Structure formats: C-alpha cells, structure tokens
Amino acid sequence: MRRARTRPRPRLRIRTAACATALAAALTAAAAGPGPGTDPTPAIRWGDCPEKPVPAGMRCATLAVPLDHDHPAKGTTRVVLAKLPATAPGRGRHGSLLLNYGGPGAPGIASLAADPALFAKLGEHHDLVAFDPRGVGLSDPVSCGGVQTADSGSGADPGDPATQLAALRAEARRCERHSGPVLPYMGTVQVARDLDTIRRALGEEKLNYLGFSYGTRLGAVYAALYPKNTGRMVLDGVDTLTESFTEQALASARGQQRALDDFLVWCAHQDGCVYGTNTRTAKEKVDALVARLAEHPLTGTGGAPFTGDDAVLAIGSALYAQTSWPDLADALARAEEDDDPAGLERLAAPPATTPAGTPSRVPADNATAALTAVNCADDPDRRSDRDDPVTIAREIGGLATEFRAVSEIFGPRRLMTLLSCYGRPAGTDFIRRIDHPGAPRMLLVGTRGDPATPYEWTEETARRLGSAVVIDHKGDGHTGYPSSPCVRGYVDGFLIDGHLPSGTRACPAGE
C-alpha cells in the first residue's frame, strides 16, 4: 500500500483477503483482562544489527519473551531491538525513549534506520530504541505462505457465500501452518507486556514512549496495564479504543473520503489539475475512474491488470502525507489522459525495507499477516465461523448502502474488512474496557485531515484515558509529528523537559 520513500510513514492499515472482496461484491448484488507479568528481568546484550544498512552507532539485541505472559511455561518468542545512543548526553540525558511506528505490522528497526534524523532533537537527550514487535519484521515473523489472497475459492461461483467463507477459513489455516507458535499470541495486550519486559531489560524505572497510529493503541494498553510504570507518553494519530469493527471501518472510510476531498480542493488550485477547478465534479470524476477501472482495467507493469481496487489502494496511500499530493495529481492525470497506470502503481507499491538485491529474512507477506493477526486478536466482535453463511451474507450486504453513502470508493473496501477475522479465534475485550487507568498525564496528537485515524478518535481516547492533553493539528496527512514543527515543539518539549500544556492546544496547518 505504500511506495518507496526516504522515511516510512507510520500508519494504521486495514486489509482483508481477496475472497472477502468477492464476497462483499456478491452480497451487495444479491474476557477478562490480564495482569502484569512477573518474569525475571532479562539480560540485554547489544551487538551488530542482523540486516544492513543501519546508521552509524546503531546496535541491536534480541530478547526472549514469554509466548504467553500468563503461562510462561509455554515457551518464548524473540523480540529484536535497535538502539541509537544519545548524541549529546552532556546536555542532560533522559534514558531510553521507546518508539513504535504503527501498523500493526510496521517494523520499528527498519523505520528508525531509514530516518533517524526525524528524531534528532529527541536523540540528543534519549537513547532512541525501536523494536520489531513479536511476529513482525525480524522478531519471529508470521506469514501466510505468501501474499494473502485466499485464492482457494477463486475457481468457484463468487456469489456463493459458503464457498467464499470456506476460502477465508482456509487462509486462516495457512497462516497457522506458516507462522509458528507466536501466531496465537499476537495481540496488543501481549505486545504491551513485552514492552514492560523491554523497559526492565533497559534498566528504566519508567517507560518513556512515542507511538504513532497503531502505536497509540499499544501505548494506551501499556498505560492501562502498567500505570505506575508509565513515564512520559506521547500518542500521535490516535487509534480508537472503543469502536466495533463496523464502526471503525465506517470511520476510516469517512476519514479517507475527507482527506480525498481536501486533496481535490488543493488540486483545484494548482495549474493543470486534470479535474479542473470544480471540486464537486472532481469527486465524481475520481469515482468514475475507479468504476471504469473495475470494469475495464488498464494494462500495468508486466501486463498485469490495474484494477479499480488497485486505484483505490494507490489513492489511499498517497493521502497519508501531503508531500505525496503532487505525485497523486500527476498519477491521476496520466491515468485519465493517457490510460497509463504507472504513476498510480508506484503510489500503491509497498516500501522497500532493504536495498534492491539484498536478501531479507522477513517474509514478503509479513506486514499483512501481522496486521490481520493483531487486529483480530484485539477484536471481540467477530462472527463465529460456525454461523450460518447466509445470515452473515445478509448482514454484510445490508451494510453496503451505508458504506457507499460514506464514500463511493473507500466505503466498499472498508466493508470488506468486516470479514477479515473470519475463521480466527475470538479476540479480547480488554481494550474496550480501558477507562481512566490512573496513568500520568500524557500528550495526544490528532490531525483534522488524517485519512486513517480520524480526529474524533483522539477526543474519544482522551476521555477514556482521563489524563490526556490534546494537540489539535489542523493539517492533513496521517500523524502530526513528521510534518508539523508546531506539533514537534509540543512533543519534544514534553519528552525532553516535561513541559505539558493544559487543555487542548491548536497547531495550524503548515506550522
């Protein structure tokens, strides 16, 4: 969903299998929470990093953490860390700052290695510590044996719900076969408990933490589990703690459409915008392009078809950062005027985490497999795979009009995510029950034009945490710290000096 770039953008990504796509199209037509662990303080030994290139001075280490923190006898899994030591400790060293780049499924080590300069000011005073969460990247990565397509049902009638749901069950079984023992323990609650193991291994009394996108969910869960161990915590691009999968999907479609509308307003003020200056008709033309490609795909690289779903993926990816808007405008112009999808293909391409030609020990589908595993482990609302397929089909089909009303192009894709956990074990309700955990005051950043984590989620999570100060970033794009000097000023001031404003503070767009 992302193209190669100099700095990976933290994001919340939600995908589902191709069979769920086919099923959704056909339908349109026809626990108690765990307690903190007590495992012994682990030893940590820094050495060379397992994959190159990395910045000068970066060191890596591997920790063994319990597969199941409630039942340590089940065995362990590996979590790989990376550290960049503080560059100016003489000015006042403040220990370690843990970073999480989102996902779920985003590798922290590769992300920090790609752009440590983003955190240069923080890195003067803190050891910057990134990690690949369990099952992600270098940390015993999960896999479904390739790209998740659930193509076991591809030869059958796409309108048959039973066949399509059976394909989803088969995909879940493939993930079990290829992922090893960590797969059943991929949820955020387990990762939060890994975080406390990391904190103790680093010798820190409190966890100082900066989390983006999904990393905000992880930070909130940590604060709920370990309020007395929580130090200075910043959550940027705030995830929801309360909404059901359906509500999340609707809010995400609404946020993406709002971001697309903002892009089209921007495009209308640029010379040569392919959609002209009328933003209402521009929206209709984008919808028409996606519909046209769904019926008549363009010919992409290597002769592969470039479909309407591919176009939605490309457009959605470009909306994550305003710096990508000129490329999106150019790509749409090439597709509209020349029937050339090359620009959109580049926007939809996943980022390179290792240089071309460099072998990696991370499976190609790890990010997708990990994202699905974590989101499903965190979701208590899933439909049982013992439910009647016709009933499930009727429920999903009944939502189609509501999703399309939110967004003609993003709504149907988000609707498809409602079946992404079909055939997997039931998730925890611990995250839904977080309410005023008693952690110290923390800083939350919400961006008004965020396509992935709507600003409303920032306000909602602030109420649930009961100890949060909100930065209202009036700009566009996913998260505020990478693009807004104003946001960085508040965040750096808090993490370095403990300066925390009262109430809600605003950061204007572009500042």
Side-chain angles (χ1 to χ4, degrees):
M1 292 192 1
R2 300 168 289 174
R3 59 179 178 148
R5 52 191 172 271
T6 57
R7 177 182 54 77
R9 295 189 294 260
R11 64 179 55 195
L12 175 71
R13 297 164 296 175
I14 303 176
R15 300 188 196 177
T16 188
C19 66
T21 302
L23 176 60
L27 299 178
T28 302
T38 58
D39 48 302
T41 301
I44 187 166
R45 297 178 181 177
W46 298 103
D48 292 339
C49 293
E51 291 197 349
K52 304 293 188 295
V54 297
M58 179 178 276
R59 305 290 282 169
C60 291
T62 300
L63 284 182
V65 299
L67 276 172
D68 183 346
H69 284 270
D70 285 326
H71 302 94
K74 289 183 179 180
T76 62
T77 187
R78 297 177 301 168
V79 173
V80 181
L81 319 172
K83 179 177 73 171
L84 282 171
T87 57
R91 300 180 189 174
R93 185 181 178 278
H94 300 306
S96 301
L97 176 65
L98 270 289
L99 304 170
N100 183 278
Y101 286 80
I109 295 173
S111 297
L112 179 59
D115 188 13
L118 177 63
F119 307 105
K121 188 172 182 63
L122 293 171
E124 293 178 358
H125 305 271
H126 295 88
D127 295 340
L128 300 177
V129 179
F131 65 105
D132 288 357
R134 58 170 60 205
V136 174
L138 301 170
S139 297
D140 290 343
V142 297
S143 171
C144 296
V147 177
Q148 286 182 269
T149 60
D151 52 8
S152 56
S154 60
D157 176 11
D160 176 13
T163 300
Q164 296 300 322
L165 292 175
L168 283 169
R169 286 196 300 271
E171 180 170 277
R173 301 294 85 80
R174 283 200 303 276
C175 299
E176 292 174 359
R177 290 196 302 272
H178 289 278
S179 292
V182 73
L183 184 63
Y185 308 101
M186 284 288 291
T188 299
V189 171
Q190 294 285 356
V191 179
R193 298 177 76 173
D194 293 344
L195 262 184
D196 203 59
T197 303
I198 294 171
R199 175 194 64 80
R200 290 184 289 109
L202 294 170
E204 303 293 351
E205 180 181 356
K206 304 280 187 180
L207 178 76
N208 294 323
Y209 178 85
L210 173 55
F212 298 98
S213 193
Y214 160 77
T216 67
R217 189 197 313 173
L218 176 58
V221 171
Y222 182 90
L225 285 171
Y226 304 98
K228 294 182 179 180
N229 297 346
T230 301
R232 297 172 186 173
M233 179 171 285
V234 177
L235 309 180
D236 183 1
V238 184
D239 198 0
T240 181
L241 303 178
T242 61
E243 291 187 342
S244 68
F245 235 30
T246 299
E247 291 167 335
Q248 289 181 50
L250 279 168
S252 295
R254 191 177 296 113
Q256 286 186 295
Q257 185 62 54
R258 186 164 51 217
L260 176 59
D261 293 344
D262 289 348
F263 160 77
L264 292 173
V265 170
W266 170 88
C267 188
H269 290 85
Q270 310 303 308
D271 291 337
C273 178
V274 69
Y275 296 126
T277 59
N278 187 320
T279 55
R280 181 184 62 80
T281 58
K283 176 181 178 298
E284 295 171 352
K285 289 175 181 177
V286 173
D287 293 347
L289 172 66
V290 172
R292 185 166 70 250
L293 293 179
E295 292 292 328
H296 305 288
L298 297 177
T299 301
T301 301
F306 187 85
T307 67
D309 199 46
D310 294 326
V312 173
L313 189 65
I315 294 167
S317 178
L319 295 175
Y320 273 81
Q322 199 168 9
T323 54
S324 296
W325 287 7
D327 291 341
L328 177 58
D330 178 68
L332 289 169
R334 293 175 66 175
E336 294 278 16
E337 296 175 345
D338 304 324
D339 289 336
D340 180 3
L344 291 173
E345 283 185 311
R346 284 194 293 272
L347 290 171
T353 56
T354 56
T358 303
S360 174
R361 62 186 69 183
V362 182
D365 71 327
N366 173 243
T368 304
L371 178 145
T372 303
V374 173
N375 280 341
C376 293
D378 291 355
D379 171 35
D381 298 328
R382 85 230 5 227
R383 294 163 177 83
S384 169
D385 59 4
R386 293 186 295 274
D387 290 346
D388 176 39
V390 175
T391 300
I392 296 176
R394 188 179 301 115
E395 291 176 0
I396 300 297
L399 293 168
T401 300
E402 184 178 5
F403 273 74
R404 282 195 176 276
V406 167
S407 174
E408 184 67 26
I409 63 172
F410 295 116
R413 185 174 182 85
R414 290 305 182 192
L415 174 64
M416 298 164 197
T417 68
L418 301 186
L419 291 175
S420 60
C421 298
Y422 187 83
R424 296 172 185 261
T428 180
D429 67 348
F430 177 78
I431 299 171
R432 298 278 177 84
R433 294 187 289 106
I434 293 174
D435 189 20
H436 291 69
R441 287 205 308 162
M442 58 190 73
L443 188 64
L444 272 58
V445 180
T447 297
R448 291 285 177 167
D450 196 315
T453 50
Y455 182 79
E456 306 89 87
W457 289 356
T458 302
E459 296 179 315
E460 165 205 294
T461 299
R463 289 191 294 268
R464 293 297 295 272
L465 294 175
S467 58
V469 171
V470 172
I471 302 300
D472 180 356
H473 178 220
K474 307 293 187 180
D476 290 287
H478 186 35
T479 73
Y481 189 89
S483 61
S484 169
C486 175
V487 170
R488 284 198 297 276
Y490 281 115
V491 172
D492 292 350
F494 176 47
L495 291 174
I496 295 171
D497 299 318
H499 295 159
L500 193 61
S502 59
T504 297
R505 298 299 178 93
C507 279
E511 295 184 14

